[in-house]
Amino acid sequence: MAKTDTKQKGTVDVGIYKIGEKSYKYRISVKRNGNDFDTTRKYDKDTGKPFTTLAAAKKARAKELYEIELENKKIPKKKVTVDEIFNYYLRNSSLDKAQSTITKQKSVYKNHIKEVFGDTNVSELAVQDIQDFLSNKYNNTDLKYSYIESFLKFFYLIVNQANNRNLISTETYNKLCVNPGTKMVMPKRRIDDEEEDVRVFTENEVKIIRAIVKDSNAELAMLLGLEMQLRIAEVYGLTWDNIDFENRMISVEKQMLRTDGIFTCGPLKTSKAKRKIHMTDRVYDYLVEHKKNLDKAIKEKPLLFEQKNVTVPWEDGRGHIYKKLHLTDFIHTTTTAEFQTFHSFKYWAQEIRDKGKIDFKFHWLRHTGASLLADLNTPIHLLCNRLGHRKIETTYKYYTGITERGIEILKDNLDTIFGE
């Protein structure tokens, strides 16, 4: 109970004092999070303006007392560790998450965070300890900045889970996640580590890549990454029922995953990633020819395909099997009955690096195709849908990237405006 709950001499109301002719202040003296809390305020906490009326001072004091009362109710009744919170999250709160997200969170926790913070009580997490941990990982290891960002996201996950269950005080939550001056943030990026968000292959690099994978089992995957702008997990998750030859459309509705050494198909990264996209002529022609050759091989060698058949469960976000897929369902199955996965592209990625002398990642095919479409002024909402982005701001970065074609367009525009 506040020590100022009874009116004292010199006050105009309980805990309210008049200052001069037109100003007021209030005083609060209570227990806050188990500690004595005593403060006097002349200015509104939210607006920074002075109290010019008695009613304004009373209202602000009542509001702060109510906030303190709520905060006191959130004092943890028991100590719960980071490990306990994470495991509770996996059992109860992760059911609507993509399996790939859960796998990544488990990996980050097991390989980097558990040893340092697993036994720490959530209510005792200190911002400085987390900042030092992130800084050490960034400056003293070979881990990429973007990967270390997933560590920060993990800490926010844990603190939010604890806050939602009233296991930490509002003050601790605000300090860790809300207040600009104290909340957990990434270390400042080094000047020598500036990365472009979008990596685009040059026209010559694309020619080299095409030449290296031509007539191989990886050619279709390359085309789908570059011309259809698909993610590699989406590429290898495609089945023949996703291909609409009549309307020349591809339905992206699942992705290939690898969990505990087993290949499965599961939900896409976000709901927006589920989409239908138009095929390019080259992709259409390739799929028509591949389907014809595969059907012929299955007809001529049925025992081979039966012998090499694999069953791939298509699971929902909760691990329940929605459908069982087989070898001949997948568009990347070869005419020799070989099951292709995203690991199948690793050999060709290395070939591109070694023979083509190109710094290569499959995802950069997607970046390249999207950037070229942006250069040609594709309406941003259409490109956003094609890429399966949840936020249009993510798509916008392709319109600000630098490509050879974009530079040529800029030069032509300069000549048009300023040329003789």
Side-chain angles (χ1 to χ4, degrees):
M1 182 180 290
K3 296 175 183 177
T4 52
D5 277 355
T6 56
K7 189 172 178 180
Q8 300 173 10
K9 187 177 180 181
T11 66
V12 293
D13 208 312
V14 176
I16 310 294
Y17 300 81
K18 191 169 185 180
I19 311 172
E21 293 297 322
K22 297 183 178 180
S23 294
Y24 295 84
K25 66 179 180 181
Y26 69 79
R27 182 187 176 198
I28 290 177
S29 182
V30 293
K31 287 284 185 181
R32 182 179 179 184
N33 288 336
N35 300 314
D36 289 333
F37 176 77
D38 197 321
T39 188
T40 300
R41 299 195 190 279
K42 299 179 183 179
Y43 304 95
D44 189 291
K45 280 201 315 171
D46 298 326
T47 65
K49 295 179 180 179
F51 301 114
T52 56
T53 66
L54 173 64
K58 287 177 67 175
K59 183 178 179 180
R61 182 176 185 273
K63 180 183 176 184
E64 186 167 0
L65 281 170
Y66 177 69
E67 290 172 349
I68 292 171
E69 181 182 356
L70 288 180
E71 188 175 322
N72 287 338
K73 288 181 180 179
K74 286 196 171 185
I75 297 175
K77 297 179 176 62
K78 63 177 182 177
K79 293 184 176 180
V80 181
T81 66
V82 170
D83 191 74
E84 289 172 320
I85 285 290
F86 184 54
N87 282 298
Y88 188 88
Y89 158 78
L90 292 176
R91 291 193 305 272
N92 300 283
S93 303
S94 65
L95 302 180
D96 60 342
K97 306 293 183 183
Q99 191 59 46
S100 57
T101 300
I102 301 302
T103 300
K104 184 176 181 180
Q105 289 170 340
K106 286 181 178 179
S107 175
V108 164
Y109 179 61
K110 178 182 176 182
N111 296 323
H112 301 282
I113 295 175
K114 184 174 183 176
E115 183 179 353
V116 182
F117 291 96
D119 294 331
T120 302
N121 295 321
V122 178
S123 60
E124 296 175 1
L125 282 173
V127 173
Q128 193 58 56
D129 290 340
I130 294 170
Q131 299 298 147
D132 291 345
F133 171 77
L134 296 174
S135 179
N136 178 63
K137 288 289 185 181
Y138 177 50
N139 292 294
N140 298 323
T141 70
D142 294 327
L143 299 176
K144 290 188 176 181
Y145 191 85
S146 58
Y147 183 54
I148 294 171
E149 285 180 315
S150 66
F151 301 176
L152 179 62
K153 290 178 182 178
F154 181 90
F155 285 114
Y156 270 94
L157 168 72
I158 294 298
V159 175
N160 275 293
Q161 288 286 316
N163 183 59
N164 292 341
R165 294 177 175 82
N166 293 342
L167 295 172
I168 57 174
S169 67
T170 302
E171 182 180 28
T172 299
Y173 173 74
N174 288 341
K175 184 181 291 185
L176 288 164
C177 298
V178 179
N179 298 339
T182 65
K183 70 178 183 179
M184 303 176 289
V185 294
M186 284 291 290
K188 189 174 181 180
R189 198 170 202 154
R190 298 189 304 269
I191 295 176
D192 65 343
D193 187 35
E194 292 295 330
E195 286 184 329
E196 294 292 338
D197 288 334
V198 176
R199 171 69 164 86
V200 178
F201 294 119
T202 66
E203 186 176 341
N204 187 56
E205 287 175 331
V206 171
K207 287 181 180 178
I208 294 171
I209 293 168
R210 286 187 188 276
I212 289 174
V213 300
K214 186 172 177 56
D215 298 327
S216 74
N217 296 329
E219 185 174 11
L220 176 58
M222 182 277 296
L223 288 174
L224 292 169
L226 178 66
E227 298 191 7
M228 303 299 294
Q229 298 84 52
L230 296 184
R231 303 173 177 92
I232 192 168
E234 296 171 342
V235 165
Y236 284 96
L238 289 175
T239 45
W240 286 111
D241 57 358
N242 297 137
I243 311 301
D244 181 352
F245 286 106
E246 183 179 352
N247 297 301
R248 298 195 176 205
M249 299 283 286
I250 291 180
S251 297
V252 185
E253 60 179 358
K254 60 186 178 302
Q255 62 179 335
M256 183 174 283
L257 306 169
R258 189 169 186 266
T259 308
D260 299 326
I262 299 173
F263 284 102
T264 64
C265 282
L268 297 166
K269 195 172 183 181
T270 66
S271 59
K272 287 290 186 181
K274 189 173 183 179
R275 61 206 187 273
K276 291 185 178 182
I277 53 178
H278 292 274
M279 280 188 260
T280 62
D281 289 342
R282 195 181 341 243
V283 168
Y284 173 81
D285 292 341
Y286 193 104
L287 284 170
V288 168
E289 186 67 17
H290 179 50
K291 185 74 167 70
K292 183 177 70 173
N293 292 335
L294 185 59
D295 287 345
K296 180 181 178 182
I298 294 170
K299 186 177 180 179
E300 292 178 349
K301 299 173 281 188
L303 291 178
L304 176 64
F305 281 86
E306 185 178 338
Q307 207 173 42
K308 289 194 172 185
N309 185 43
V310 295
T311 300
V312 179
W314 178 1
E315 300 178 345
D316 62 17
R318 301 188 178 188
H320 301 142
I321 296 177
Y322 166 71
K323 187 178 181 181
K324 289 184 179 180
L325 301 169
H326 300 283
L327 178 69
T328 53
D329 290 325
F330 291 91
I331 70 169
H332 289 280
T333 296
T334 70
T335 54
T336 55
E338 297 297 330
F339 177 56
Q340 300 286 293
T341 72
F342 46 76
H343 284 328
S344 306
F345 205 92
K346 285 186 175 181
Y347 168 81
W348 293 102
Q350 196 58 51
E351 285 286 285
I352 292 167
R353 296 185 194 103
D354 294 342
K355 292 183 179 179
K357 307 301 180 186
I358 297 172
D359 185 17
F360 178 85
K361 285 186 179 179
F362 187 93
H363 200 70
W364 294 344
L365 293 170
R366 172 178 162 91
H367 285 186
T368 301
S371 296
L372 293 174
L373 287 170
D375 283 343
L376 294 175
N377 293 320
T378 302
I380 191 169
H381 67 284
L382 295 180
L383 186 55
C384 181
N385 178 72
R386 185 172 178 86
L387 296 174
H389 285 157
R390 187 167 60 89
K391 296 180 180 179
I392 206 164
E393 291 83 2
T394 307
T395 312
Y396 181 70
K397 66 185 180 182
Y398 292 100
Y399 290 80
T400 59
I402 305 298
T403 65
E404 286 182 324
R405 179 174 290 183
I407 292 172
E408 290 304 317
I409 293 172
L410 174 62
K411 288 179 179 177
D412 289 344
N413 289 341
L414 288 170
D415 290 339
T416 299
I417 297 171
F418 301 110
E420 295 182 0

